[in-house]
Amino acid sequence: MLKYEMFILSACEQTMLENYLKRYEISNYFKKVYGIDNHLAAGKFDAAKNLFNEIGNNNAVLIGDSVHDKEIADKFNVKCILVSWGHEDLYRLKKANDIVCKTVDELFDYLKKGI
């Protein structure tokens, strides 16, 4: 079993994000969630700034599904794992980042190793 404090950083509007987590009954898995304050997916850098100001970035790993997530990780000097089952295709993600997982098992393997 992995023992991490988990947070969500999303381009989803904050209230909508919280409602999704409640709907799927997974809110309790996350220490805190950081969404944005609009419906235009603008402001994810600001949400990331709030997150990393609060928790620091020493042992942080950003798991994302877009090149933009890699850009955020680079800006805040945190490790990044991209997953290919989200917003962008595998080819594009591999051009942006060294680690791209195609399965949840592969993601867990990287997390167990402590990339």
Side-chain angles (χ1 to χ4, degrees):
M1 185 67 163
L2 301 173
K3 295 188 179 183
Y4 289 95
E5 286 185 330
M6 295 194 308
F7 300 82
I8 291 180
L9 172 63
S10 177
C12 184
E13 190 273 328
Q14 182 73 30
T15 302
M16 188 181 300
L17 177 60
E18 290 169 358
N19 288 337
Y20 287 144
L21 297 175
K22 286 178 192 169
R23 182 164 136 207
Y24 292 105
E25 300 178 354
I26 59 173
S27 298
N28 58 317
Y29 291 104
F30 302 96
K31 187 167 182 176
K32 192 164 180 183
V33 297
Y34 295 81
I36 58 172
D37 63 1
N38 62 73
H39 293 285
L40 304 175
K44 193 169 180 182
F45 274 111
D46 292 334
K49 182 179 177 184
N50 292 336
L51 167 64
F52 294 120
N53 281 341
E54 186 171 329
I55 69 165
N57 64 353
N58 290 345
N59 292 311
V61 176
L62 192 148
I63 300 167
D65 64 354
S66 70
V67 172
H68 186 54
D69 291 325
K70 171 61 173 156
E71 293 166 350
I72 290 171
D74 288 349
K75 179 167 177 79
F76 293 97
N77 197 32
V78 299
K79 297 172 188 170
C80 183
I81 299 174
L82 297 177
V83 297
S84 65
W85 59 84
H87 280 87
E88 295 186 40
D89 66 64
L90 180 65
Y91 174 76
R92 189 168 171 169
L93 296 173
K94 282 189 170 194
K95 284 177 59 177
N97 197 44
D98 294 337
I99 302 172
V100 180
C101 297
K102 294 181 244 173
T103 67
V104 173
D105 287 337
E106 190 177 354
L107 173 61
F108 282 151
D109 287 344
Y110 275 107
L111 293 173
K112 286 177 195 173
K113 286 190 272 185
I115 72 154

